[in-house]
Amino acid sequence: MATYPASPREAFQQLRTLSEQLAVPESRPRALAELRELAGLARDKPEGAPLRLGSVVVAVGSSQERLELLLLPSIFSPEAWAHTFLEGLLKVPLDEYAGKRLVEVGAGSGWVCIALARFTRLAHILGVDLNPHSAPVAWCNAWLNGDEALVSRLSFGESDLLRQVAGPEPWDFVVGCIPQVLRGEGLPAEVSQADEQALYDLSNYCAIQNVYEDHFGLGLIARLLDEVPERLAPDGRLLLNLAGRPGRAIIERMFTRRGFTTRVRVARRVMQAADTDIRPLVALEQRTQREFEFFMEAHSPEPLRAATALGWLAAGHPIWHEVAVWEARLALPRETLALRAALRALGLPRLQEALDLAASPPEQLGFVAGLAERLARSPFLPYAHESGDLSLRQLVARYLGRFFELRLAEEELFVAPEREQAVYSLLLATCDEGDGVLVSHNLHGVYAPVLAKAGVHVTVTHNTLGEIRRLLGAFDVKVVLLSVEPGERANMAELRDILAEAERRGILVVLDESPFFNITAEVEPRTLFEFLAREPHTSHLVVLYGLIKNAVFPDWELTLLLPVPERLREDLEVAAEVTYSRISTLVQWFYERTFAELLTFRIAFAEPRPPPARPVPEVPLPRSKRIARLAGFPAFAPKVFRVDDPELIRLDYGENEYPLPQPLMEGLVAACAAPRDSGTQHGLAESVAAFLLETRGVRYTPEEILLAPGVWPLVHHLGVALRRMLGRAPRVFVATPCYGVLPPAWVAAGAEVDLAPLSALQARRGPGAPDVVVISQPSNPAGYYLSHEELVGLAAYVVEQRCLLVSDEIFGLVNLSNPTAETVHGPVGLEATVPGIGARTVVLGGLSKEFAAGGLRVGWMATRDRALAAAVRESAPGVLHLATARAASRLYAAYARSPEGKLLYPERHRALREFLARMRRDLAEKRELIAEALPEDGRAETVEAGGLFLAPRVTSWLGREVDGERLTVENLPAVVYARTHVVLNGGDWCGDPARMRVVFSIPRETLLKARERLLAFAADLR
C-alpha cells in the first residue's frame, strides 16, 4: 500500500523502486496499482512538496490529451517555454516521424517523450538527462499515462548530453531543451577589445567564438553540437529549444560555423523571469559590442538591447524574450563526418570545435578531410618536383586522353605555379636580354611585369590571328605569346599559318588558353585540346593553361604547359630550380584530388592508345645563352644514376624528411577549412617578427618582413632588385663550400658571382669589394656554424666595406650539437659588438628545414633597409597562398609574447620546443651513423654541427683505386654509384673539389643501407 513520502529523498526512493518493479512483467500489476495510489496522494500538493502530481494538456489539431505527471522538487514542471518546445516538435509533419528513432536531451519528467509517443508513430524514443532523478520519474510517468504498447517505444537513462548514450546506430532526431546559463563575468579583456575579423588568423578566432558562446549562455548547446554529428543519421535533424536573448545572429552563427543549416520551426515570446539579474549582461554587451535581444511587450516589432531593457525594468515594466525551436541539419553530412573521422585519426579531435564550416563547399570540405587522412597516414610534406610530381602529371594525361582524345606522355606535361611564373621560366629558357617577343594585346597587361623582369624587347600586336601572322613576318622574335579570341575559335586556319611560320624560323609559340578552359566533369567546348588532338604534331607550340578553382581556393593556381619537348622541359626544370618556381605540394594534392574525381565521371572501356612519336623539328626551338650557362653549372650536371634503379639510394637530394610538428598540422587543416574570404597575410609578418625576436633577440616590424613562396624566390628577386638599384650587375661573394644551386640562382638574377672560402674575403677590398656577401648559418652543405670570432670578423668587414650581408638561416634552429638550442647565433645579434651590422644584414628563413615543411613553400626575409624591401616587393617574388600564410602564422605565433613578456600560446610553444629537440636528436644520430662511413679527413673539426648535410673532405679517397679505377674529383660520384647504388654530390657541386656532399635527413632504414654500402666501398679502396 502506497504512503506519501516524508521527504524528497524518500519520494525518489519510492519512484525508483516502482520503476524497477514496472520493468518486470510479474510485478507490474501490483506496481501499477501502487503507482496510481501514490499519484492520488500527491494530487493537489503545492510546489516544493516532496512529491506532487501536476498535469499538462497537449492538443494537436482536433486531438487533445491530458498528461498527469509525478514531479520531484529537483524536476522542472512544464512551463511556457517547454510548451513552445513541444509545439515546435509537432510542427514537423507527423509522417516524417513514422518509423524513426528520437533521443531527447534534458528529458526531465519525460512528459515530452510521452507526448511524442502519443501523437507520433516514432519507433523508439529515448529520454536522457544529467539529473539522476530523471529516469525513474520518467518511467513512472510513462506507465501512469500509457499502456504497455506505448511504454515499449520509450526508454529513459542518465547522460551528460549524449556522452552516455550507447549504441552505434544513429538517431533520426536529436531534440532537447538545454539550459542556457548567462555568464556576464570573466570574459578576457584582450578578447573583448579585439576586432574579430582582424583576429581571423586561426590562432585565436575560434577560441574567441567559443568564449562568446559560453558567456552568452550557449556553452552547453555548443557542446551538444560538437558531439552530435556522429550520432545523427545522414539526413537526421536536431530540434533545440533556445531562449533568444543572445540574439538570432549569434545563435545562428553557433550552428553554421559547425556545418549546420538552420530554420526556426516556431517562436514565441515569454516574460523574463523576475529573479534573473540582467545587469551583468549590460556590461558583457558593452565589452563585446554584441547586443542581446529583449522586448518591451509580447508583440513588440523590434528588440531592445540589454542596457535599454534594464532601464525599462527599473521603470517598473516587465520585459520579454523570444523562445524558439531551431531545426538544424548537417549541410554536408558525408564530408563533415569524413573530416571529423580524419581529425580523430590525426589525433586532433578537438580541432573540429575550432573550425568554421559555415561557407565551406563540398569540394573544400572533401579536400580538408582527405588532407587530414593523408597526414594521419604519413605526416610529411615533401617538395613537389620542379615539373610537378609524376602522380599529378599522370592524372592530367589521363584526363586529357579520356575527355579530349589528346594523348600525351607524362613527360610532355610541365606543371608550374602561377602562370606569370610559368611565363617567366619560359622566357629565361628561351630568351636573353634584348631578344624580341611578340605579345598579343589581350595578354600584354597580364604579363607586362614578367616581360620587363626578363629584360626582353616586347612588341605588342593586335588580337586578330591574321594580323599577328602578318606582323610575325616583320619582326625578329624568339617567342610569340598570344591568346585566341572567342570569335576565331571555330576556324584555326590562321593559327596553323602562324605555327608553320614559327616552325620554319625556330620561334616558340606560347598559346595562353587560361580564360577558355575549366576543369569540369563535362567537355568544355572549343578548347585547344581538340585542336591539338586532331592536328599533326606541332613542334613549336606550347599551350599554357592556368587553372584556378575560384569557388574553393581562389589563389591556388596551377599552370599546365603542354606539350613540352624534352630539351625545353630540361631547361624549364633548371629555370624552375634557380627561381624556385615550383608548385606547392598542398596545391598539388588538391588538384590531384580534383582530377581523380573528374576521372570517375568518365568511364573508359578500352586501354588508351600510347602517345604518338614526336618528330624532331627541322629548326630547333630557341634556347637562351643564359639557360645554357645555368645548365652548365655542376648542380645541373647529367645524372650519374638511373631513376628506375630499384636499389637506388639518393644522398644527393636534401630536405627534412621528418614528421610535421603538431601545431603546423593543426594549422594546415584549420587554414584549408577556413572561409575563402577570411583573413590576410599580415598576421604572418607579425608572427615571423615575434619568432625573430625570440630566436635572434632582434626586433623587426612587420613592414621589415617580406614573405614569399620559399626562400629561393627571395634570393632570386633580391638579386633582381639589387641589379635595378645599382644599375649594373651586383658583385656577389658566395662563401664555399656552398649549396650547389646558390651560385646559378644569383647568376640567373644577373649577378657576377665570386666563389671562394670565407677566409679569402678579407683580401677583397676597395673598388673590387663585393656588393653582397652570402653565407649560410649553419653552413650549407658543411653543416657548421661560424664561430663568434668569425662572425665578428665578417660583421666588421661588411660594415667597413659598406656591403650587404645575406645570411641564409633556413637551418638556423637545426642545431645537432645542442638539442635544446632555442636561439640562432647569427650576425644580426652582434649589433652591440659591431654597430651597424643589423642595418646591413638580410636574414632569410622559412619552414622547410627547421619545421620539415618544404612542400608548404613559405619563405621570409627580414631587412632594416626599407628601400631594399620595397625593391624586392616590386620585383614580385611569387604568390604566397593565403591558406599557407595562415598555417605558417599559427606555427610562428607560438613564439609571440605579450607586452609583459608572457607567451601567448604556451602549449603550442612547448609542443614546438619538444618537436625541435626530438628532431635534433634524431638527426644527430643519423649524422653520426653516416659520418662513420665517409672519409675521416674532416672529423677533427670541433665547431657546432647543424643542418641536414655533411661535406667531408675526400682527399684520403682521391687517387686510390677500386676494381682498377682510380678515384678523381670528376669521377667520384659516378664510381660510388656504380658500386653502391648510392648517389652523392661531388666537390664541384658544392664549390670545393676536395669535398663531397652527403644528405642524411632520410628515413633511418634507408640511411643504414647506404651506410653499409659506403663502408664496404671504403674497405675495397686500394
Side-chain angles (χ1 to χ4, degrees):
M1 184 175 180
T3 59
Y4 185 78
S7 67
R9 177 182 177 83
E10 183 182 334
F12 170 66
Q13 290 173 341
Q14 283 181 286
L15 293 177
R16 182 173 61 185
T17 300
L18 286 172
S19 67
E20 293 169 352
Q21 294 172 347
L22 288 165
V24 180
E26 292 76 14
S27 59
R28 188 175 297 152
R30 180 179 175 183
L32 269 174
E34 189 173 339
L35 176 64
R36 293 188 178 110
E37 287 182 38
L38 186 60
L41 295 172
R43 192 180 303 277
D44 300 326
K45 297 294 183 184
E47 283 196 39
L51 182 68
R52 66 189 183 92
L53 185 71
S55 66
V56 60
V57 175
V58 181
V60 177
S62 59
S63 300
Q64 183 169 298
E65 297 282 350
R66 175 181 294 275
L67 301 180
E68 293 195 320
L69 305 171
L70 286 166
L71 299 170
L72 297 173
S74 60
I75 302 290
F76 285 114
S77 61
E79 296 178 339
W81 53 267
H83 297 161
T84 302
F85 176 47
L86 181 60
E87 182 184 356
L89 296 181
L90 296 177
K91 285 283 187 180
V92 175
L94 298 186
D95 62 322
E96 295 181 16
Y97 282 127
K100 301 296 179 65
R101 302 169 70 248
L102 177 147
V103 57
E104 183 194 5
V105 180
S109 64
W111 78 276
V112 170
C113 293
I114 298 165
L116 288 172
R118 284 276 190 91
F119 287 104
T120 73
R121 288 181 290 148
L122 281 160
H124 184 70
I125 303 164
L126 168 64
V128 296
D129 200 295
L130 182 61
N131 185 346
H133 296 171
S134 172
V137 171
W139 277 118
C140 290
N141 284 330
W143 283 106
L144 194 62
N145 291 277
D147 56 15
E148 186 173 343
L150 183 142
V151 176
S152 67
R153 295 161 53 213
L154 293 166
S155 59
F156 300 96
E158 181 181 345
S159 178
D160 179 5
L161 299 181
L162 294 174
R163 292 186 177 181
Q164 286 76 46
V165 176
E169 192 174 351
W171 296 87
D172 301 294
F173 294 89
V174 175
V175 306
C177 290
I178 313 298
Q180 289 172 251
V181 182
L182 293 165
R183 293 175 54 193
E185 300 298 329
L187 190 67
E190 64 272 17
V191 170
S192 62
Q193 295 170 359
D195 176 72
E196 180 179 298
Q197 186 63 26
L199 287 171
Y200 208 133
D201 65 352
L202 301 172
S203 296
N204 44 17
Y205 168 77
C206 291
I208 292 171
Q209 287 288 308
N210 293 337
V211 169
Y212 281 141
E213 291 168 357
D214 192 38
H215 283 75
F216 277 74
L218 300 172
L220 279 175
I221 295 98
R223 246 187 62 197
L224 177 64
L225 297 183
D226 291 328
E227 291 178 10
V228 81
E230 285 81 3
R231 304 301 186 94
L232 274 178
D235 58 348
R237 282 178 266 179
L238 272 168
L239 289 127
L240 300 179
N241 198 56
L242 300 178
R245 288 168 300 207
R248 283 201 177 191
I250 289 178
I251 292 174
E252 185 170 18
R253 179 69 175 143
M254 174 185 64
F255 283 100
T256 57
R257 79 179 185 92
R258 290 172 169 85
F260 291 93
T261 59
T262 64
R263 62 180 290 189
V264 174
R265 276 289 181 182
V266 66
R268 297 286 182 265
R269 303 271 176 84
V270 299
M271 190 179 296
Q272 177 65 52
D275 59 352
T276 300
D277 183 5
I278 71 168
R279 284 176 298 178
L281 306 186
V282 176
L284 180 61
E285 190 175 67
Q286 291 172 346
R287 295 173 66 189
T288 63
Q289 300 299 305
R290 286 163 171 74
E291 296 184 359
F292 285 88
E293 290 184 1
F294 293 95
F295 297 88
M296 294 174 61
E297 297 175 350
H299 302 288
S300 293
E302 296 180 44
L304 299 173
R305 55 186 309 193
T308 308
L310 181 63
W312 182 248
L313 273 173
H317 304 286
I319 57 173
W320 300 68
H321 68 268
E322 185 180 81
V323 172
V325 178
W326 290 71
E327 180 179 288
R329 304 170 186 252
L330 283 175
L332 301 168
R334 182 172 65 87
E335 292 84 357
T336 302
L337 293 173
L339 174 58
R340 292 167 66 90
L343 291 177
R344 290 194 298 273
L346 192 57
L348 301 173
R350 291 296 302 275
L351 185 59
Q352 64 196 21
E353 300 172 16
L355 299 181
D356 182 359
L357 310 181
S360 300
E363 193 173 10
Q364 180 181 9
L365 269 192
F367 170 72
V368 176
L371 173 63
E373 291 170 3
R374 190 167 195 157
L375 292 175
R377 292 193 308 269
S378 178
F380 298 89
L381 195 66
Y383 290 114
H385 191 272
E386 290 89 346
S387 58
D389 286 350
L390 181 62
S391 55
L392 173 60
R393 287 184 280 117
Q394 286 176 334
L395 285 169
V396 175
R398 291 172 189 165
Y399 173 83
L400 295 174
R402 197 173 296 180
F403 278 68
F404 301 96
E405 294 293 326
L406 174 58
R407 301 187 307 281
L408 296 175
E410 293 85 358
E411 292 74 20
E412 294 180 285
L413 292 167
F414 193 97
V415 186
E418 297 75 26
R419 54 182 175 151
E420 292 86 348
Q421 290 277 44
V423 168
Y424 186 54
S425 294
L426 279 167
L427 293 174
L428 285 180
T430 56
C431 299
D432 291 301
E433 290 192 9
D435 282 345
V437 175
L438 210 63
V439 183
S440 60
H441 187 271
N442 53 11
L443 293 179
H444 182 253
V446 177
Y447 295 116
V450 171
L451 295 162
K453 189 162 56 178
V456 294
H457 178 73
V458 178
T459 299
V460 181
T461 76
H462 298 307
N463 299 329
T464 306
L465 292 180
E467 296 197 0
I468 293 174
R469 180 183 58 78
R470 293 173 62 194
L471 286 169
L472 181 58
F475 292 93
D476 181 15
V477 297
K478 295 288 185 67
V479 174
V480 175
L481 186 57
L482 58 88
S483 180
V484 181
E485 290 289 292
E488 297 189 90
R489 301 185 72 79
N491 182 5
M492 293 294 182
E494 298 287 1
L495 179 60
R496 292 187 188 94
D497 291 342
I498 291 173
L499 295 176
E501 175 78 359
E503 289 196 37
R504 186 180 66 80
R505 293 170 53 188
I507 298 170
L508 176 66
V509 177
V510 180
L511 186 54
D512 190 338
E513 271 289 280
S514 304
F516 304 103
F517 173 57
N518 296 300
I519 45 174
T520 69
E522 302 297 330
V523 176
E524 286 287 297
R526 293 185 178 179
T527 68
L528 264 292
F529 291 142
E530 293 97 334
F531 176 80
L532 290 175
R534 67 174 180 262
E535 293 290 315
H537 175 66
T538 305
S539 60
H540 286 61
L541 171 67
V542 170
V543 180
L544 181 153
Y545 292 91
L547 306 180
I548 307 177
K549 298 290 284 185
N550 282 304
V552 188
F553 302 110
D555 59 350
W556 282 18
E557 181 178 353
L558 283 189
T559 303
L560 301 180
L561 299 174
L562 59 98
V564 178
E566 182 178 1
R567 165 58 73 184
L568 179 58
R569 173 192 174 85
E570 292 172 355
D571 289 344
L572 286 174
E573 288 183 359
V574 172
E577 184 71 10
V578 296
T579 63
Y580 202 71
S581 176
R582 72 169 85 201
I583 61 177
S584 161
T585 300
L586 202 62
V587 177
Q588 176 171 271
W589 288 350
F590 173 73
Y591 282 98
E592 279 183 356
R593 181 183 178 90
T594 299
F595 278 106
E597 289 179 346
L598 290 173
L599 286 168
T600 64
F601 293 105
R602 180 64 64 90
I603 300 173
F605 295 99
E607 189 75 20
R609 290 175 291 167
R614 305 301 187 192
V616 178
E618 295 183 9
V619 181
L621 286 169
R623 190 181 192 223
S624 67
K625 296 183 181 67
R626 55 185 169 189
I627 202 69
R629 182 185 176 193
L630 292 172
F633 274 83
F636 305 111
K639 294 180 174 63
V640 301
F641 60 91
R642 292 189 355 260
V643 177
D644 60 348
D645 179 359
E647 297 295 316
L648 180 69
I649 298 178
R650 295 192 63 176
L651 301 184
D652 67 322
Y653 184 78
E655 59 179 295
N656 193 357
E657 296 184 38
Y658 202 78
L660 295 173
Q662 187 179 66
L664 184 55
M665 288 196 287
E666 292 177 357
L668 281 170
V669 174
C672 292
R676 51 169 284 179
D677 56 352
S678 60
T680 66
Q681 295 184 8
H682 186 71
L684 177 55
E686 290 184 334
S687 298
V688 171
F691 172 73
L692 287 169
L693 180 61
E694 188 80 359
T695 59
R696 274 76 170 176
V698 177
R699 191 179 300 276
Y700 288 93
T701 66
E703 291 71 29
E704 295 169 334
I705 306 292
L706 283 85
L707 304 171
V711 171
W712 286 106
L714 289 167
V715 171
H716 181 79
H717 291 90
L718 176 59
V720 172
L722 287 170
R723 186 174 186 189
R724 289 176 176 174
M725 294 174 72
L726 294 171
R728 58 172 173 80
R731 297 185 295 272
V732 179
F733 178 93
V734 178
T736 57
C738 67
Y739 185 67
V741 181
L742 187 57
W746 284 98
V747 170
E752 297 174 356
V753 177
D754 178 13
L755 293 172
L758 191 60
S759 58
L761 181 61
Q762 295 298 329
R764 289 156 170 77
R765 295 177 177 273
D771 302 300
V772 183
V773 176
V774 182
I775 64 168
S776 299
Q777 186 69 351
S779 63
N780 179 2
Y784 294 122
Y785 293 86
L786 295 177
S787 67
H788 179 73
E789 293 74 17
E790 288 174 313
L791 279 174
V792 170
L794 174 61
Y797 174 90
V798 167
V799 172
E800 176 188 334
Q801 297 299 312
R802 302 180 63 79
C803 56
L804 190 69
L805 175 59
V806 176
S807 182
D808 179 3
E809 298 178 9
I810 197 166
F811 299 91
L813 287 174
V814 190
N815 190 325
L816 308 186
S817 301
N818 183 1
T820 61
E822 295 187 24
T823 58
V824 178
H825 303 296
V828 292
L830 300 175
E831 187 67 34
T833 305
V834 186
I837 185 60
R840 295 202 161 273
T841 301
V842 171
V843 181
L844 295 168
L847 289 180
S848 64
K849 302 301 187 288
E850 290 175 311
F851 298 106
L856 196 56
R857 296 183 70 220
V858 175
W860 47 262
M861 182 180 108
T863 176
R864 299 264 191 244
D865 190 332
R866 298 291 182 92
L868 178 62
V872 173
R873 286 192 182 96
E874 187 179 345
S875 66
V879 176
L880 180 61
H881 301 136
L882 181 56
T884 299
R886 292 185 190 128
S889 178
R890 186 182 184 92
L891 183 144
Y892 284 124
Y895 293 87
R897 293 183 180 271
S898 68
E900 298 74 30
K902 293 184 178 180
L903 287 166
L904 296 181
Y905 309 104
E907 291 185 9
R908 210 181 304 169
H909 185 260
R910 181 167 54 253
L912 288 179
R913 288 182 60 190
E914 292 172 354
F915 163 83
L916 287 168
R918 182 171 59 253
M919 179 188 72
R920 292 172 188 134
R921 285 193 297 268
D922 290 349
L923 287 173
E925 291 175 7
K926 291 179 180 179
R927 179 187 175 97
E928 290 303 312
L929 283 171
I930 199 65
E932 293 173 359
L934 301 175
E936 300 181 1
D937 304 47
R939 292 189 192 171
E941 299 180 65
T942 58
V943 293
E944 280 190 310
L948 307 177
F949 318 110
L950 284 168
R953 298 185 183 281
V954 293
T955 48
S956 63
W957 280 10
L958 297 177
R960 299 174 68 182
E961 293 185 358
V962 58
D963 296 336
E965 188 168 6
R966 187 178 300 276
L967 293 181
T968 65
V969 169
E970 293 77 18
N971 71 5
L972 178 61
V975 174
V976 170
Y977 169 70
R979 284 156 180 79
T980 67
H981 300 273
V982 174
V983 185
L984 46 79
N985 293 120
D988 286 340
W989 190 95
C990 56
D992 186 345
R995 296 180 184 267
M996 65 178 170
R997 179 249 199 182
V998 178
V999 176
F1000 55 84
S1001 56
I1002 64 175
R1004 183 179 295 266
E1005 182 180 351
T1006 306
L1007 189 71
L1008 288 173
K1009 289 181 182 177
R1011 179 179 182 272
E1012 291 173 5
R1013 296 177 189 178
L1014 290 172
L1015 283 170
F1017 176 84
D1020 289 341
L1021 291 176
R1022 298 290 182 264

